[in-house]
Every structure is written in C-alpha cells, then in structure tokens.
Amino acid sequence: MNSEQGMWGYMTNDLCLCKGIGDLWESNCNSNPVHSRFVSNTIKPGVTKPFPIAWRQCSAPCATPKSTGGGCGRRGLPPQPQAHTERSKRKEMGRWVLHLSVGLGLLAILLTFCYAEVNYCFMARDKTCSECLQAGKDCAYCPDENFDGPRCDLSENIRAHGCSATLRATKIKSIMKNRTQINKRFSQSQVSPQLMSMSFLPGEEKVVDVEVFSPLKGPLDLYILMDFSNSMADDLDNLKKMGNKLSQLIGKLSNDATIGFGKFVDKVIEPQTDMRPSKLKTPWPNSDPPFSFQNVIKLTNDVGEFTRELQKEMISGNLDAPEGGFDAILQAAVCGNRIGWRSHSAHLLVFSTESAFHYEADGANVLSGILPRNDERCHLDPEGKYTEDISQDYPSIPTLVRVLGENNIIPIFAVTNHSYTYYQKLSEYFPIAEVGLLQEDSSNIVQVMETAFESIRSKTSIQAEDKPKAFKAQFLSTKEELVEYGLFNFPPGAIGNFKMRLKADRMIDETPVCQSNQDEKEGTMRVKPTTFNKGFNIEASILCPTCECEKTPIPNSAKCHGNGDMICGKCKCSPGWLGAFCNCSETISAQDTSRCIGPNMKEPCSGRGECKLCGGCVCSNPDQYEGQYCQYDKTQCPRSGGFLCNDRGSCIMGSCACKKGWEGNACECTNSNQTCLDNKGGVCNGLGECKCGLCQCKETAVEMTSTCEPNFQAQLGVCEGTRDCVRCKAWKTGKNEDCKNCPFEIVMVDELKEADKVRDSCSFRDEDDDCTYHYTAEDPTDKAAGILKIQVLKKKDCPAASLLWLLPLLLFLLLLLALLLLCCWKYCACCKTCCQSCLALLPCCRKGRMVGFKEDEYLLRQSLLTSDHLDTPMVRTGPPKGTDVVRWKVTDNVHRGPNHPQALIKPNPKETIQFPLSVRLNRLFSDILSRPESREADQLRKEVADNVNEVYKQIPGAQKVQKTAFRMQRNAGKRQDYTIMDTVLSAPRSSYPDIVKLTEKNVQSGSFQDLKVVPGYYTVATDREASGAIEFQEGVESVDVHVPLFVKEEDDDKKQLLVEAVDVPLGIAEIGKRLVNITIIKEHATSVFSFLQPPTHTADRMEWPTFQSAGRSLRMDEPRSHTAHGTSQPRTKRTI
C-alpha cells in the first residue's frame, strides 16, 4: 500500500483521507467516515476536552479543511539556499518567466474545458437506444437509417445535426395518493400531503409543496435526565423542592403533558468507578451504589406522583470528571416503551449536568478496555437499569444525532458554567437543540427549561428519512431559496409552507442508475420535521425507459448489405463485417487509412483520432472533436462576452446551434424585444429599431435613454431641458442656436391642459422682458413630429406698466448716483466694496445679483497647517430669492512659468492616480457617523461603495472607491446639517474630465444609483487640480468653498494656487470677484515674498509692504484670524 502522510491527512491507494474535527469537513469529503470509530485522545487547540476526530475520504486530493486554512498535503519543505550573484538571479528569473508562461497557457486551456458543459448523453453514443435514453432525462436517440451523426445526444444537438425524428423518454406526472388538508382545530402536529407517488427519469428533479402545522399547546413529553454524581447533591435537593414550579411549567407548556425522570453516573468499571467493595456499596456518605443509567420515573401526567417518587432518590458517585451521559441519552431514546414516549406528542429531553462527557472510543482507550461498539438497542432490566454498560462502548456524537432524530427527541442541555462551552459546541451538531446555563445549585432549572422550550417552539428542522441511494433531497423556502439543514422558523399555531426538491441521480458510484440494485433506485422515503411523528411519505422510483424498435429488428437488412441486422436505424453487423453499414470485411484491405483523410488534410482523422478499420475515425477526445474526420473543435465556435456561443447554444460542426429565442453567429442576439420596451410598453419609443435586443435610436439633439426616450434627468428635468428651446421658438428671444437644436413640436394655445394630464407643466421668466411664460410638455401622438409636443400659452404674465413714467427719472437718479460713486472711488478706496454692493442691487446692473469670492489673497505657512484643505468664503449680493449654483476650480503651482523644469515634465495620462471625491448626501449628519468603527458608519460606507462603484464602472480602468469618510461642513447655507461624503477613486489620469462630467451629471440628477444626494455640491480633485460646485439656496448670502491645497513634499519653498469661480450653470447671478490667490511657504524658506507681487489678473489689490527675514515673515498687517480648514474670517489679504 502506498501511503503518504500530510499535516491534515494522508494519501493511500490514490485516495486522500482527510482529518476533520466534528463537522469541520471540507466540502469535497464524503459524509461517512472511512474508519469505523473516532480517533480519541486528540486535543483540539483551545479546548480541554477533545471532540471526535475521524478520517474521511475526499473526492479531490489534499484539500483544505474549512476551519484551519491548512492543507491535506505534505508540509512545506524548508527553503533551499539560493545564490546571490546577479547572474544566478537572472537565470532564476528566466526560469520563473518560462514557468509562468507555460502555467498561464495551461490555465487558459483548462478554463476552456472547465466552462464546457459535460454532455452525458454523448457518452452513450455507441450504445443501444435503450441505454441512450437511460443515460439522462434530456437524452434523445435518432432512429433515422440515413443519419450519419452521433445517434445519442441532447435532442437539440441531434436536430442540429439533421435528424428528422428523435426518440425521447416520456416524463410521468406525480400521483397524489392521500392529501388531507390541515385542520387547525386539532391540537396535534400535522403534515400535508400524506402520501405521493413520484417517478423520475435519471437526472430528473421535481419540486413538491408541503405544509406543516404545530399547535400552540400540543401534547408534550418532558423527560429530565440528571447527573447523580456527588457534586450534584445540592442540585438534586433543589429539584426535589420544585414540585409546584414544575407543575406550573407543565401546565403552561401544554394542556396534555407528561413528565418523567432518569439518572446517570458512569460505567461501573475502572477507571470510571472506584471498584473497591466498600465504595461499590456507598461511594459517598448517604449515597446509593454507583450505576450507569436508570429510568426512575416513567413519563406520567401525575406531577404529584412524580414529586413523591423524586423525594426517595439519593446521590451516587464515580471517579473521573467526564460522565457517561451519552449511554443514558441513547437508552432514553431507544427504550421508547420503557420510558413512555407517546407517538402523537412532542418529545423533550432535559439533560442536566456540570461535567463534560465520555464519547465513543473512551471505553476502549482507557484501562477498561471495552472494545465492542454500542449496538443502539434497549438494554434495561425490570428496575430500569442499563445492563450493558461494561460490555459496550459509549455511543458517538453522530450516533446520538441520528438516534434522537429518528425518535423525534429534542435535547435541552442544562449545564453549569464549568462545561457550558462543551455542550454549546455539541448542540451545533443537532438540527434543533438548546443549551441553558444553570446556576451552581441548579436553582434556576425551571427557568432554563421554560426559556429553552420557548426558543424551540418556532424552530422546525425538516429531514428526509429512509431515502434510497439514488435520490437527493433539498428543502426550499416559498421563494425558492435553499434552506440549509432544512431549518425553518414556523410559529406555533400557524401553517408553515416549504418546498422539497427531489432529484434522481444519473450515476451511483460511477454505475448508471438503471444498472444499480432495485433497492437503491426505489423506495418509500419519509419527509417530516424532527419534532413530529407524522410525516409525508413519498413512493419514489427511477424510470428506465426502453425503445420499442429494439423489439422488432430487421434481419439481414439491405441497408446493412445483408451482413447485419437493422436495429433502431443502426446496423448491428454479423461476425466478420465492419462499418456503419456492414459493408467492409475484416481483411488486409481494411487497414487502408486513406479513407480517413479528408480534403486538404495531411493526417488521418486530422491528427485528432484513430482510423478504424474500413475508414472510420474515432476521435481521441469526442467531447472536444467531432466530424467525419474529427475536423471540428467544439471549443472553437464564435464567442460572445467570453462565453462559447454566448452560453445560449451548442457548438455543432464548427458553428453555433442557438437555443430557441437566440440568433447570431455566436447566439449573441435575442429574438425577444423585451429589452427594448420603453416605460409605456412600446418598442424603442417609436424613435428607433430593436436590433439584437438593443434599441438603435435615431439621431436627435437630445440625449436619449437606452429605450430611445428623452433623457431629461441629466438636464435637471423636462422643464430645464426645454426652456431655452421654447423661449427661442415661441417668443424669438434668447440665443439663435437654441432654435437650431430644437427637436420639439411647439404649438401656441389659448389654454393649457391640466397638470395631471400632461408629462410636465413649466413656468419660466424671460430675462429679456422680465415676463413669465407658461407651457406644458407631453408625448406626441405622431413620433415623426418631434420628441415632445410643447403647448405654449399665448399670453405672458408681465409686471404692471402703470409706473413706466417713472423710468426716466429713475435712470437720471441712477446716473447721478454713479457719478458720485466714481468720485468716491477715486478719493476713497474703502468705498469700493460698498459701491459694488450697491450696484449689485440695481436690476439694470449685472441683472440684480452677483456672486464672488470674499477674499483676494491668502498667505499660509505649511508648518502651521492643520488640514489639507482651506475653507474660503464666497458671497452673494443682490436679491436673495432664488437659487444659484457656482462652479469653481483650483490649479496648483501657477507660479511656475511655461519653461520651469517641473512644468516641462508632462504626466503620464495612463498613470493610475487617486481622485478625491466629495458629495453631499441627502441625510442629516450625526456624531456617530464621525466614528469610522460605528455600525451606522459601516453600513453607510457599504451603501456608498455599492452605488458609487456602479456609477463609475463605466470609466475605463476605474477601481473601487476606498477611504470613505463622513463629515459636516459649516457655513454651507441651509445644507450645513447634511452629511458630506468624502471618498477616493483610483483611475487613469486622463479620465479626469470624464469623472468630473459624470459626477456633475449624477449630482444634478440627485442620486448615484439608489444613493440619494443633494444637487448643487461636489468636488473632484487630482494631485494638481480640482473642480467643484457650491449652491446658494434662497436667502443664503455666504457659503464656504472647500479648496484642496495639494501639499506635497516635492513642493517649491514657496508656491501659489489659483482658485477661480468659473460660471453659474443654474441661476441668474453674475460672477463678480472671480479669483483667489493662495500662497504656501515652507518653514525653511529664506525669502518669503519674492514672488508675492499682485498678478495681472487681480485688479483691486492693496499695496503690500514686503520684508525679508530668514525663515519667517515679518508682515502682519491684520490680526491672524483665518487658518486652513476654515477657522477664521480673513478679509482682503491674510498672512497665516
């Protein structure tokens, strides 16, 4: 025997035997142990008392256990010494490159085959018609005499090869033999249906609906099994005093309940028990002789009798700490009549102890030397004592799980803190079990039982018993979701619904199921909850279809040249004859291979197969190659999206045979137009054609959705998207180019339709005449007339003209005021700001409203910076009504001229850099979001990542966002209590314009997928520039701009950044003070103001007195009241 030992298993006879702890098996290991008993005396790390360990056979060699991350293979060899010369390194690198190239090539080939679906029907191509149909539910046979393709294959493949008629097995419907509806008035557990007959073809699966019902207070059997070792003396005394509490508990749990009692210690043999005669009589003062298990009180409904009998009991004792409770549990389960379990009731077993447990192999590996395994039978004498304790080993954990399940018993482990962790782990092996923590004297055992029972009431574990080997069962929720271990939560008193999926295997241990034993492919299985005695019986069987044509062969058929019989369209040649039609004799001439060479071929069978006698090719890999000369490769058909035939067809003879509903060379096009339906159910909104499942829209000046509907969402709605076009066409105002790009049908009407009858109702003020115009937008009945039908009200709403005579006077006064302001401007520089504010209030000046930066210049010292951003205020003057959105940008290192050495170095556009992003979420900020480890912050980060990644995945090369954080920004108008989300997106440098455009589009639409954001605010930055937008809400006069400072180690000793207000995309405000200069000085700079002369673009600067001092600035013309990150309020110029 070849055997190779590994750290998690060993290899023997080409099989990998994996070692696992409890249920921690790798998924490719068999469920049944190879060894007949568990290995003992093996300590699990961190656990004092070991759990069962066994060897199991794996389907794949040297797999990895789920619990440890280790391997089932050999331990790694120590690293070999390597030469450190440059030459050896190059050789080693060359070998690695070669190995990597070969590995990648092999990986690509393996992936190709891994994605290829296994055609089990084709494997039976050379077999009989009946064997073909028995290969699987989808197999078909072609009986056509002139058919020259593989006769056994999937039905669609056979038809694609040209077979005119196929033979297929007929599926048989399930027969419901007994179905009684559940009646909630019966206080008993019920299951519906009760009996069904189901027949399956090999590989077929069926789903059946099942209902279960558990009453609110159904019959209940409660059996208390207590540890009687000496350490439990005070626990027994307390239990004796709880007669009234037990009676109240029984009445609360059920109207039809019984209660029983059993006790256990351990095997009466060394070393578990002190075998000295005196200790065998009284191991402790006032104690009973030692014993293994005894049924003391049979299940009874007389609580008074239970209490009286319990008073007679005395404690016993043993030597070692673990007890023999497993012997007691098994006897209490299998001795149903002796214990008194009722067939129509729920069974609860309360196991009370303060010690760990012995399990299988403990009896054999200690001094007692008990070798026989537990036979799982009842061995109680007339007094209820277990008689085989010294003759049989302890039962194993899997045995207990199975036996309790078969007898519908739910265990409740009531244990003290000493052994709580053992039984908590043990409970995980049972479908349903509870563990309760007892006090040291068990004074709370009644409360533990009540709590455990309430927890168990809503748990239902479904299992399939006595299932034939050829079937597999799975349990699903009503939503078709797989439920692990069949564990459902069905409340008592309500009907629980679930589905059972039953599948018939095609093979049993590499043998076709139809060739297996009869008891392996048919039988009656029982489906029921573990707590029920009643169940749903299924008479399941495997159908093995046969072909009628095999019963009527044509002897010496002419088609077979009289040298064979025709059976189901295929020749079965007589001895001495070969070929598909028995026309080739077994002679020397049959060895000629020229018949296996096709046109333009050099090798027989294309080098992919073997040339048989009489010129027939047998492909070496029929799952990959086919054709008369093996000339077709099933993996070389056209692909779509990386999938062969788009996974919507089969590769047949070098081309894709598409499934129904698909077409194209690679089956990439669907015949359905479901993906082209617009919101009204039409196809491509009547403005395009549905081709290959996608709408091909006509060219228009308006952005279209994927279903050729106008995408006004990107333009802040229908009204914003049509206002300029309507103003130009209806009133001849605005810009002329708006008329050229207007694809809408515009009609002037005397009265508009009601708002609920149109798509949208719009009203806007015409800036040219200060009048308001109204119109509606709706979908046109004739798509050729335009994308939208616009109905414009003929009459505008204009302001009253009764005071027009005052206009000349007002103009004269304004002119006079302007002259006065000019005089003040010349002689009083402090009037500058006041004049600007006054002019902004006039409707004739800058249209009444202006926005701009408050400050001109900032001077910052890098060592004093507390943040990498500067909050600089932007103000708005004029009427505060209405909303204005201002776009801004910032550029780093503007002090460098075009010939500066750093300016001449152009960045790599393909370089992946980080893009810091900021948007304002449509949710209020809370302090808990500022703590990254909080649960609310973590959930919000996940929501942000899911939606933002979905938006930016259309950017080529974009990666997932990271470093997401949340903050609140002060001086943000009415939005300052809302949450600002900061995150980082990694993408190629050249994608900056696309990221800015995509960010602005989603911000203005108000959402990133399902993540709601507030329009009007965003920031997108790189390592040298940034763009963003802020919003002035109605009534807001000042908002801070969060400007990145781009502080880097390689910065010049003194550098300048330029912040610019770009434009106002939304609103009527004009930009006033457009620019802000920011100067940052490093600590070691020797000259501070060498380049701080006001740039040519700054028109209103004060004279700066400049001083030079090594390492510091001597200018302090105003108090230092502004630092980075917005902690001050500078005015015209600030030194920080």
Side-chain angles (χ1 to χ4, degrees), residues 112-113 122 621-626 632-636:
T112 300
F113 287 102
F122 194 70
N621 186 0
D623 290 333
Q624 182 179 2
Y625 303 115
E626 63 179 348
Y632 297 111
D633 190 337
K634 293 183 179 181
T635 65
Q636 298 304 315

Side-chain angles (χ1 to χ4, degrees), residues 756-774:
D756 57 350
K757 296 181 180 180
V758 294
R759 182 169 182 172
D760 215 340
S761 294
C762 312
S763 297
F764 289 102
R765 184 174 64 87
D766 193 337
E767 291 87 347
D768 289 355
D769 56 10
D770 206 31
C771 296
T772 302
Y773 57 97
H774 310 275

Side-chain angles (χ1 to χ4, degrees), residues 185 260 311 338 360 386 439-440 552 664 730 761 791 861 867 1043 1094:
R185 292 177 297 177
Q311 305 302 319
R338 301 293 301 275
E360 186 178 42
Y386 179 40
Q439 297 179 4
E440 292 300 323
T552 57
S761 294
Q791 292 188 345
R861 187 175 297 279
S867 171
V1043 179

Side-chain angles (χ1 to χ4, degrees), residues 458-730:
S458 62
K459 295 180 180 179
T460 304
S461 178
I462 312 297
Q463 61 182 5
E465 300 175 351
D466 303 327
K467 179 167 50 67
K469 192 174 181 179
F471 291 93
K472 287 183 173 62
Q474 291 180 322
F475 301 100
L476 316 173
S477 66
T478 53
K479 297 180 180 180
E480 302 287 340
E481 297 173 347
L482 181 64
V483 179
E484 192 174 6
Y485 305 122
L487 191 61
F488 296 88
N489 289 325
F490 296 144
I495 297 177
N497 297 274
F498 67 92
K499 297 177 180 290
M500 186 187 71
R501 179 191 293 153
L502 196 59
K503 181 177 181 179
D505 289 336
R506 296 184 299 100
M507 309 286 288
I508 299 180
D509 298 333
E510 299 183 359
T511 301
V513 66
C514 286
Q515 300 177 16
S516 60
N517 298 329
Q518 194 68 21
D519 59 344
E520 292 181 338
K521 58 186 178 182
E522 71 174 44
T524 301
M525 67 182 73
R526 184 174 175 82
V527 179
K528 71 177 191 65
T530 54
T531 56
F532 287 20
N533 284 299
K534 295 183 178 179
F536 167 36
N537 293 329
I538 300 178
E539 297 174 350
S541 60
I542 302 289
L543 288 176
C544 296
T546 58
C547 299
E548 291 295 326
C549 57
E550 293 179 347
K551 301 178 181 178
T552 57
I554 303 176
N556 300 323
S557 169
K559 192 72 175 179
C560 302
H561 293 82
N563 300 320
D565 301 337
M566 176 67 69
I567 302 177
C568 296
K570 182 179 179 181
C571 287
K572 183 179 180 181
C573 299
S574 302
W577 294 95
L578 302 173
F581 301 102
C582 306
N583 58 342
C584 180
S585 176
E586 291 182 348
T587 60
I588 300 300
S589 61
Q591 302 294 332
D592 185 11
T593 61
S594 60
R595 300 182 182 181
C596 297
I597 302 177
N600 301 322
M601 295 182 185
K602 297 180 179 180
E603 298 181 76
C605 301
S606 305
R608 298 169 174 173
E610 179 183 357
C611 184
K612 296 195 306 183
L613 299 178
C614 302
C617 283
V618 177
C619 301
S620 57
N621 186 0
D623 290 333
Q624 182 179 2
Y625 303 115
E626 63 179 348
Q628 182 180 359
Y629 306 106
C630 304
Q631 70 271 34
Y632 297 111
D633 190 337
K634 293 183 179 181
T635 65
Q636 298 304 315
C637 283
R639 295 175 179 266
S640 177
F643 292 96
L644 189 69
C645 297
N646 196 29
D647 204 24
R648 304 293 184 185
S650 302
C651 186
I652 304 295
M653 298 299 183
S655 60
C656 289
C658 302
K659 295 181 180 178
K660 185 178 181 180
W662 295 87
E663 61 184 2
N665 292 335
C667 304
E668 73 278 13
C669 295
T670 175
N671 294 332
S672 172
N673 60 4
Q674 292 297 314
T675 54
C676 297
L677 298 181
D678 53 42
N679 292 329
K680 294 187 177 181
V683 178
C684 299
N685 196 33
L687 298 174
E689 298 181 16
C690 185
K691 293 184 179 181
C692 199
L694 297 175
C695 284
Q696 295 185 358
C697 307
K698 299 177 181 178
E699 293 186 4
T700 62
V702 178
E703 182 180 352
M704 294 290 189
T705 65
S706 60
T707 55
C708 299
E709 296 174 282
N711 186 15
F712 293 110
Q713 190 69 20
Q715 305 177 41
L716 302 181
V718 175
C719 293
E720 284 291 342
T722 57
R723 61 180 295 185
D724 294 334
C725 176
V726 172
R727 185 176 64 162
C728 178
K729 277 203 168 185

Side-chain angles (χ1 to χ4, degrees), residues 868-869 888 890 912-919 948 952 959-965 967 980-989 991-992 995-996 999-1000 1003 1008 1017-1029 1042-1048:
D868 56 358
H869 286 74
W888 57 271
V890 57
T912 298
I913 64 171
Q914 293 186 339
F915 292 87
L917 308 174
S918 297
V919 296
V948 174
Y952 288 111
Q959 304 175 10
K960 294 185 178 180
V961 297
Q962 55 185 347
K963 302 179 182 179
T964 303
R967 60 179 170 87
I980 299 284
M981 179 273 291
D982 297 324
T983 189
V984 177
L985 173 70
S986 296
R989 183 183 294 275
S991 61
Y992 173 65
I995 295 176
V996 173
T999 303
E1000 182 176 11
V1003 167
F1008 279 69
Y1017 179 89
Y1018 70 87
T1019 302
V1020 179
T1022 67
D1023 56 354
R1024 59 183 61 198
E1025 60 182 326
S1027 300
H1042 199 56
V1043 179
L1045 298 177
F1046 309 110
V1047 177
K1048 301 180 285 292

Side-chain angles (χ1 to χ4, degrees), residues 845-862:
C845 299
R846 298 185 183 271
K847 301 198 175 178
R849 197 154 68 216
M850 297 180 65
V851 294
F853 289 106
K854 185 176 181 181
E855 308 301 335
D856 289 325
E857 189 103 13
Y858 289 91
L859 179 60
L860 309 177
R861 187 175 297 279
Q862 184 171 330

